[in-house]
Amino acid sequence: MGGLQRFEHKLEQAISGVFARTFRSAVQPVEIAAALQRELDNKAQVLSRERRLVPNAFSVELAKSDLDRLAPYNTALAAELTEQLQEHADLQSYVFPGPIRIEFESADDLGTGRFRVLSKAEATVSGHGRFTGRQRTRAVLEVNGTRHPLMAPGLVVGRGSEADLRINDPGVSRRHAEFLVTARPEAATAPGEGPLQIEVHDMGSTNGITVDGRKVRRAELRDGSRVQVGHTSLVVRLLEEEIADV
């Protein structure tokens, strides 16, 4: 029995076959499983001779009629699809940058029985500060849906445990880039309260950095600047009078 057949049989057992009967004339779970598997195969990027990076965040878009039928079973289906994808990845020596995440969404341009899969590699991000005292949070880095304070003197981004902002991305070096934060003295009403100056410096990383699509060794950043490290984007956001924890 093939992998997709095993998946279909296991899914029917998990939810007593109700899902299969409900979807008899609409999108079939095994079709979604096959599409997700193809997404891994098509998006695999070579890391080494024996390892390839694949997406781990998936959006399955369906017609509203199919999404409504799916609603009572989406948790069970997502769990089974996740397990099936992990098994396929293990067989193919694929590497996920973070936990597998599968979401189901409605798409107005799709009819009943039609669906599409969108995917991206979304690395796990964790941070630990090196700051003391209570500081005003005036800027943050947005990374994969999370926000991390960006305060003086700055922080180091990398894959290693010594980085202030750790990104589990195979394309990121252990100490990849440093963000430097200072307050400009002009227009300051108190020490450290001037407009922020934020710079990013490449720390001799293997794959380098880009800022707004341009490869650089160092660059000054502004609100909305997008810094790419490996397969991960970090966006600078300046805050308006926002204080305390982020």
Side-chain angles (χ1 to χ4, degrees):
M1 184 182 293
L4 292 177
Q5 288 177 308
R6 287 196 303 272
F7 162 76
E8 188 173 34
H9 179 67
K10 187 176 180 181
L11 182 64
E12 288 183 5
Q13 286 184 321
I15 53 183
S16 303
V18 175
F19 185 93
R21 292 195 296 273
T22 301
F23 270 67
R24 193 176 303 280
S25 61
V27 173
Q28 299 296 318
V30 70
E31 295 176 327
I32 298 176
L36 289 169
Q37 184 173 300
R38 287 195 300 272
E39 193 74 6
L40 294 191
D41 297 337
N42 293 337
K43 296 286 185 68
Q45 300 181 42
V46 176
L47 296 176
S48 66
R49 186 173 180 179
E50 298 181 349
R51 298 168 68 241
R52 287 179 287 177
L53 180 72
V54 290
N56 62 308
F58 304 89
S59 174
V60 180
E61 296 186 343
L62 309 107
K64 186 177 183 305
S65 57
D66 284 333
L67 188 63
D68 289 343
R69 293 187 183 95
L70 172 63
Y73 320 106
N74 57 8
T75 300
L77 178 57
E80 295 299 334
L81 288 169
T82 296
E83 185 174 335
Q84 192 272 338
L85 277 183
Q86 186 63 65
E87 290 178 359
H88 181 66
D90 292 342
L91 288 173
Q92 301 297 327
S93 298
Y94 292 157
V95 176
F96 294 109
I100 299 172
R101 179 169 57 83
I102 301 173
E103 297 179 346
F104 302 96
E105 300 179 358
S106 176
D108 294 337
D109 63 324
L110 295 176
T112 299
R114 302 291 299 276
F115 72 95
R116 60 173 163 256
V117 173
L118 305 177
S119 68
K120 60 182 177 179
E122 192 172 88
T124 301
V125 182
S126 59
H128 59 85
R130 57 180 181 184
F131 315 108
T132 59
R134 184 175 179 83
Q135 291 178 278
R136 179 187 301 236
T137 300
R138 303 167 61 198
V140 296
L141 281 178
E142 291 184 348
V143 193
N144 291 346
T146 62
R147 303 173 94 201
H148 303 270
L150 190 55
M151 298 182 286
L155 55 79
V156 172
V157 172
R159 185 165 46 85
S161 59
E162 67 274 20
D164 300 300
L165 187 61
R166 187 177 183 185
I167 302 177
N168 182 30
D169 180 334
V172 172
S173 297
R174 295 186 63 81
R175 290 171 59 85
H176 196 109
E178 183 174 20
F179 288 78
L180 300 177
V181 182
T182 56
R184 300 181 191 273
E186 64 269 22
T189 58
E193 291 297 315
L196 288 184
Q197 176 176 319
I198 304 174
E199 294 184 351
V200 63
H201 294 209
D202 181 15
M203 301 181 74
S205 64
T206 301
N207 295 317
I209 63 175
T210 64
V211 175
D212 297 328
R214 183 171 60 92
K215 191 159 188 176
V216 297
R217 294 290 299 176
R218 60 184 295 169
E220 187 167 345
L221 306 175
R222 62 185 187 280
D223 184 39
S225 291
R226 183 177 297 273
V227 180
Q228 186 79 20
V229 295
H231 306 279
T232 303
S233 291
L234 305 91
V235 180
V236 175
R237 298 295 184 196
L238 301 182
L239 310 179
E240 296 182 3
E241 300 300 322
E242 186 169 336
I243 302 177
D245 300 328
V246 175

